Amino acid sequence: MSTDVSKSPEPEGGVGSGPAAEPPAAAAVTAVDPRLLVREQGFRGYATEFLRRMRSGELGSVPVVVGLIVIWAIFQSLDSSFLSAQNLSNLSIYIVGTGLISVGIVFVLLLGEIDLSVGSVSGLAGAVFAVMAVNNGTPEWLALLAALATGAAAGAVHGFFFARIGVPAFVVTLAGLLAWNGLMLQVLDRSGTINLDDEGLVAKLTSHYFDDVAAAYGLAAVAVLVFGLAQYLDAKRRDAAGVPSRPLAEIAVRTGVLAVFAFAAAYMLNQYRGLPLALLIFLVVLVVFDLVLRRTTYGRKVFALGGNTEAARRAGINVVAIRISVFAFAGTMAAFGGLMIASRIAAANQGAGSGNLLMEAIAAAVIGGTSLFGGRGKVWSALLGMLVIGSIASGLALLGSPAHVQYMITGGVLLAAVVIDSVSRRTQKTAGRT
């Protein structure tokens, strides 16, 4: 016996219109962003989310911050002058030159590449400036621009051979390391060492301090206000777009934490000679290029190339142009860092750019959290990494330890950073995140 389905009676008004039926919209399950659930749970939700991120390999800057705290605690226990105002002020100037070079390295590492020439380029820039300004009497501002242009040109050459010709970046920049070092020796010629004018523009980059206490405190206040306002406006923008945003309470806590660190740093600097001009320049550079990476189309293209070059090419990104520009930027920052180092020692000499400068610049970026595998990192990695390296150097100097001990410890820290990065990437893949 069969049933004629086509003649089955339907309730008036169509299927599901009876009193017991639910409207489709009401029956649907609304997807809730997990970040909203975390924020609704308050502190417990944030703690749970933090543990989840750690287990899944999303470590961020946590390892380097913890490591820095441990390093400072150890050296302070061994020598009470380590955290003195004078030592911290000297440390803030020491990290600037290499830190600026490391900013350029961060951009190169985001592509998944390496630049071995930055040490030689920094020395060449210092030599070009010294010969033009001191030996030839060129106005210092013009000599400074020429030195920066020299670094940009050297980086663009590396980028051209890498991006257009297809020579591996390792080989191109290794050749640059040798070639630019030779050119630096040629530029200095028989001079060997050229002392800079102590009252000149470049010399004052590291010797000038804003001794008025209002300078350091004012910078801290501006930083806190700008950060808080930016967070608030971002939350309003996300609310308007209908996407999850940080609540006011979280913004207030984040801004308060920054305020504590910012004003504590300002207090320490004012206990010695005030705010160093070199540190101010370094912080401005970090803020500007952090915004470039996070808030501009160019920054997104750099990350895209580091994540998947072929996918970026198919998305219409000019791979060659981005690669050349990144290496040119790295050369410019190497030149800027070289001028800062020349300023700190008040001279340009044949040993500039040699020694462990290159390794420190690369190590700072990696220790600070930039991945060697490309596509992951922040400009602030340069600051965090240099604080670790500079703190080790400063602490060992206070203890009278030989240089080889510093090299071994720094090498161990670098290895630990790379191991953490590798394990983190493997854990994220296991957790289904890339």
Side-chain angles (χ1 to χ4, degrees):
M1 184 176 181
S2 60
T3 303
D4 189 356
V5 179
S6 62
K7 296 182 180 180
S8 299
E10 294 182 0
E12 185 179 354
V15 177
S17 62
E22 294 183 1
V29 178
T30 304
V32 179
D33 192 296
R35 288 172 292 183
L36 295 178
L37 297 178
V38 168
R39 287 161 183 162
E40 287 177 358
Q41 296 171 5
F43 177 78
R44 180 180 178 183
Y46 283 106
T48 303
E49 175 68 5
F50 176 78
L51 293 176
R52 185 200 64 78
R53 292 171 66 90
M54 294 299 101
R55 286 194 296 267
S56 63
E58 301 175 62
L59 303 180
S61 300
V62 173
V64 66
V65 172
V66 172
L68 186 61
I69 293 174
V70 171
I71 290 171
W72 282 18
I74 291 175
F75 282 122
Q76 178 65 14
S77 66
L78 296 175
D79 191 322
S80 59
S81 62
F82 177 78
L83 292 180
S84 65
Q86 179 177 354
N87 191 59
L88 291 179
S89 180
N90 291 337
L91 175 62
S92 71
I93 296 177
Y94 171 81
I95 66 175
V96 171
T98 311
L100 288 171
I101 299 174
S102 187
V103 170
I105 291 292
V106 168
F107 274 70
V108 176
L109 290 179
L110 287 175
L111 294 181
E113 302 298 336
I114 194 68
D115 190 341
L116 302 178
S117 69
V118 290
S120 296
V121 172
S122 69
L124 174 61
V128 168
F129 172 83
V131 169
M132 291 183 65
V134 179
N135 291 0
N136 299 337
T138 305
E140 286 203 9
W141 66 268
L142 184 58
L144 187 149
L145 292 179
L148 294 177
T150 299
V157 169
H158 301 151
F160 173 80
F161 280 100
F162 165 59
R164 180 66 69 180
I165 307 301
V167 182
F170 178 89
V171 176
V172 172
T173 57
L174 179 60
L177 182 153
L178 300 173
W180 304 129
N181 186 65
L183 182 58
M184 178 194 69
L185 298 178
Q186 175 64 33
V187 170
L188 290 175
D189 196 18
R190 297 180 181 179
S191 302
T193 299
I194 301 177
N195 294 322
L196 304 183
D197 180 9
D198 292 339
E199 298 300 320
L201 172 64
V202 169
K204 286 186 176 181
L205 290 177
T206 55
S207 64
H208 182 74
Y209 290 78
F210 298 99
D211 52 7
D212 190 334
V213 296
Y217 287 130
L219 177 62
V222 169
V224 172
L225 290 174
V226 170
F227 176 81
L229 181 61
Q231 293 281 299
Y232 175 74
L233 293 178
D234 182 66
K236 297 289 289 184
R237 178 179 59 83
R238 295 176 71 87
D239 283 338
V243 296
S245 62
R246 291 191 175 93
L248 288 177
E250 181 182 345
I251 294 175
V253 170
R254 290 165 64 90
T255 305
V257 171
L258 176 63
V260 170
F261 285 102
F263 282 98
Y267 172 79
M268 293 300 295
L269 291 174
N270 281 333
Q271 297 306 300
Y272 181 52
R273 297 176 61 184
L275 174 65
L277 173 61
L279 178 61
L280 175 61
I281 293 173
F282 189 27
L283 293 176
V284 170
V285 167
L286 291 173
V287 170
V288 169
F289 289 109
D290 176 64
L291 292 175
V292 168
L293 274 184
R294 294 189 302 108
R295 300 293 186 182
T296 67
T297 302
Y298 177 80
R300 288 190 288 271
K301 290 178 179 178
V302 172
F303 278 109
L305 283 182
N308 190 318
T309 303
E310 186 57 32
R313 181 181 287 108
R314 293 181 179 181
I317 295 177
N318 190 332
V319 175
V320 172
I322 296 298
R323 283 175 165 174
I324 292 177
S325 67
V326 166
F327 276 90
F329 173 72
T332 304
M333 296 309 298
F336 197 180
L339 291 173
M340 281 292 186
I341 294 173
S343 172
R344 182 162 54 85
I345 63 177
N349 56 54
Q350 295 179 342
S354 59
N356 61 338
L357 175 62
L358 169 63
M359 292 300 101
E360 284 190 352
I362 296 175
V366 176
I367 291 172
T370 301
S371 175
L372 282 170
F373 303 98
R376 189 175 64 196
K378 297 179 180 179
V379 171
W380 294 97
S381 299
L383 173 61
L384 293 173
M386 276 310 302
L387 280 175
V388 170
I389 294 174
S391 296
I392 293 173
S394 176
L396 293 177
L398 289 174
L399 298 176
S401 301
H404 68 266
V405 176
Q406 176 189 342
Y407 295 158
M408 289 188 291
I409 294 178
T410 304
V413 173
L414 174 59
L415 177 60
V418 175
V419 169
I420 291 173
D421 181 36
S422 300
V423 173
S424 172
R425 290 178 65 88
R426 187 181 309 166
T427 303
Q428 288 188 51
K429 288 183 179 180
T430 303
R433 302 176 68 91
T434 57

